[in-house]
Coordinates of all heavy atoms in Angstrom, one line a residue:
M450 N 159.0 162.6 215.9 CA 158.0 161.5 215.7 C 157.5 161.6 214.2 O 157.3 162.7 213.7 CB 156.8 161.7 216.7 CG 155.8 160.6 216.5 SD 154.5 160.6 217.8 CE 153.9 162.3 217.7
L457 N 148.2 159.1 214.2 CA 147.6 157.9 214.9 C 147.5 158.2 216.4 O 146.5 157.9 217.0 CB 148.5 156.7 214.7 CG 148.1 155.4 215.5 CD1 146.7 155.0 215.1 CD2 149.1 154.3 215.3
L461 N 143.9 158.2 218.3 CA 143.5 157.3 219.4 C 143.0 158.0 220.6 O 142.1 157.6 221.3 CB 144.8 156.4 219.8 CG 145.2 155.4 218.7 CD1 146.5 154.8 219.1 CD2 144.1 154.3 218.5
H464 N 139.5 159.1 220.2 CA 138.5 158.1 220.3 C 138.6 157.2 221.6 O 138.2 156.1 221.6 CB 138.6 157.2 219.1 CG 138.3 157.8 217.8 ND1 139.1 158.6 217.1 CD2 137.1 157.9 217.1 CE1 138.6 159.1 216.0 NE2 137.3 158.7 216.0
M468 N 136.8 153.5 222.9 CA 137.5 152.2 223.2 C 137.1 151.7 224.6 O 137.0 150.5 224.8 CB 139.0 152.5 223.2 CG 139.5 152.6 221.7 SD 141.4 152.6 221.7 CE 141.7 154.3 222.0
R497 N 136.3 153.0 234.2 CA 136.4 153.8 233.0 C 137.7 154.7 233.0 O 138.5 154.8 232.1 CB 135.2 154.6 232.7 CG 135.1 155.3 231.4 CD 134.0 156.3 231.3 NE 132.7 155.7 231.6 CZ 132.0 155.0 230.8 NH1 132.4 154.9 229.5 NH2 130.8 154.5 231.1
N509 N 151.1 156.8 224.6 CA 152.3 157.6 224.9 C 153.6 156.8 224.4 O 154.6 157.4 224.0 CB 152.4 157.9 226.4 CG 153.5 158.9 226.6 OD1 153.5 160.0 226.1 ND2 154.5 158.5 227.4
Q532 N 145.0 144.1 246.7 CA 144.4 144.4 248.0 C 143.0 144.1 248.2 O 142.5 143.7 249.3 CB 144.7 145.9 248.3 CG 146.1 146.2 248.6 CD 146.4 147.7 248.7 OE1 145.6 148.6 248.3 NE2 147.5 148.1 249.3
S540 N 142.1 139.7 235.6 CA 142.8 140.9 235.1 C 143.5 140.6 233.8 O 143.4 141.4 232.8 CB 143.8 141.5 236.1 OG 143.1 141.9 237.3
H542 N 142.7 138.4 231.7 CA 141.6 138.2 230.7 C 141.2 139.5 230.1 O 140.9 139.6 228.9 CB 140.4 137.4 231.4 CG 139.4 136.9 230.4 ND1 139.7 136.2 229.3 CD2 138.0 137.1 230.4 CE1 138.6 135.9 228.7 NE2 137.6 136.4 229.3
E553 N 141.9 147.0 217.0 CA 140.8 147.3 216.0 C 140.7 148.8 215.7 O 140.4 149.2 214.6 CB 139.5 146.8 216.6 CG 139.3 145.3 216.6 CD 138.1 144.8 217.3 OE1 137.4 145.7 217.9 OE2 137.8 143.6 217.3
E556 N 143.3 149.6 213.3 CA 142.9 149.2 212.0 C 141.9 150.2 211.3 O 142.0 150.5 210.1 CB 142.2 147.8 212.1 CG 143.1 146.7 212.4 CD 142.4 145.4 212.6 OE1 141.1 145.3 212.4 OE2 143.0 144.4 213.0
D560 N 142.5 152.1 207.8 CA 141.5 152.1 206.7 C 141.2 153.5 206.2 O 141.0 153.8 205.0 CB 140.2 151.5 207.2 CG 140.2 150.0 207.4 OD1 141.1 149.4 206.8 OD2 139.4 149.5 208.1
L566 N 149.8 155.4 203.7 CA 150.6 154.6 204.6 C 151.5 153.6 203.9 O 151.2 153.2 202.8 CB 149.6 153.8 205.6 CG 148.9 154.6 206.6 CD1 147.9 153.7 207.4 CD2 149.9 155.3 207.6
E569 N 155.5 149.4 206.3 CA 156.4 149.5 207.5 C 155.8 150.2 208.6 O 156.0 149.9 209.8 CB 157.7 150.2 207.1 CG 158.6 149.4 206.2 CD 158.2 149.5 204.7 OE1 157.2 150.2 204.4 OE2 158.8 148.8 203.9
M591 N 153.9 141.1 238.2 CA 155.0 141.2 239.1 C 154.5 142.0 240.4 O 154.7 141.5 241.5 CB 156.2 141.9 238.5 CG 157.3 142.1 239.5 SD 158.7 143.0 238.8 CE 158.0 144.7 238.8
H600 N 150.7 140.1 251.6 CA 149.5 140.0 252.3 C 149.4 138.5 252.9 O 149.0 138.3 254.1 CB 148.3 140.2 251.4 CG 147.0 140.0 252.0 ND1 146.4 140.9 252.9 CD2 146.1 139.0 251.9 CE1 145.2 140.4 253.3 NE2 145.0 139.2 252.7
L611 N 148.2 133.5 266.6 CA 146.9 133.0 267.2 C 147.0 131.5 267.5 O 146.3 131.1 268.5 CB 145.7 133.3 266.3 CG 145.4 134.8 266.1 CD1 144.3 135.0 265.1 CD2 144.9 135.4 267.5
I643 N 157.4 131.9 272.5 CA 157.1 131.0 273.6 C 157.8 131.4 274.9 O 157.3 131.4 276.0 CB 157.5 129.6 273.2 CG1 156.6 129.1 272.0 CG2 157.4 128.6 274.4 CD1 155.2 129.0 272.4
N649 N 156.3 136.0 280.9 CA 155.3 137.0 281.3 C 154.3 136.3 282.3 O 153.7 137.0 283.1 CB 154.6 137.6 280.1 CG 155.5 138.5 279.3 OD1 156.6 139.0 279.8 ND2 155.2 138.7 278.1
I689 N 156.7 117.3 277.1 CA 156.2 117.1 275.8 C 155.1 116.0 275.8 O 155.3 114.9 276.3 CB 157.3 116.7 274.8 CG1 158.3 117.9 274.7 CG2 156.7 116.5 273.4 CD1 159.5 117.7 273.8
I696 N 158.3 111.1 265.2 CA 159.0 112.2 265.9 C 160.0 111.6 266.8 O 161.2 112.1 266.9 CB 158.0 113.1 266.6 CG1 157.1 113.8 265.6 CG2 158.8 114.2 267.4 CD1 156.0 114.7 266.3
A697 N 159.6 110.6 267.6 CA 160.5 109.9 268.5 C 161.7 109.3 267.8 O 162.9 109.4 268.2 CB 159.8 108.9 269.3
L703 N 168.8 112.0 265.9 CA 169.6 113.2 266.1 C 170.4 113.1 267.4 O 171.1 114.1 267.7 CB 168.6 114.4 266.2 CG 167.9 114.8 264.9 CD1 166.8 115.9 265.2 CD2 168.9 115.4 263.9
D718 N 146.8 113.3 280.3 CA 147.6 112.6 281.3 C 148.6 113.5 282.1 O 148.7 113.4 283.3 CB 148.3 111.4 280.7 CG 147.4 110.4 280.1 OD1 146.3 110.3 280.6 OD2 147.8 109.7 279.2
N721 N 146.5 116.0 284.3 CA 146.1 115.3 285.5 C 147.2 115.1 286.5 O 147.0 115.2 287.7 CB 145.4 114.0 285.2 CG 144.1 114.2 284.5 OD1 143.4 115.2 284.7 ND2 143.7 113.2 283.7

Side-chain angles (χ1 to χ4, degrees):
M450 181 170 55
L457 173 62
L461 292 172
H464 294 81
M468 285 189 279
R497 186 191 306 276
N509 190 61
Q532 288 175 340
S540 295
H542 191 51
E553 286 173 357
E556 290 176 4
D560 289 341
L566 290 175
E569 291 79 5
M591 179 186 72
H600 178 75
L611 291 172
I643 293 300
N649 290 340
I689 298 181
I696 299 177
L703 289 171
D718 294 335
N721 288 333

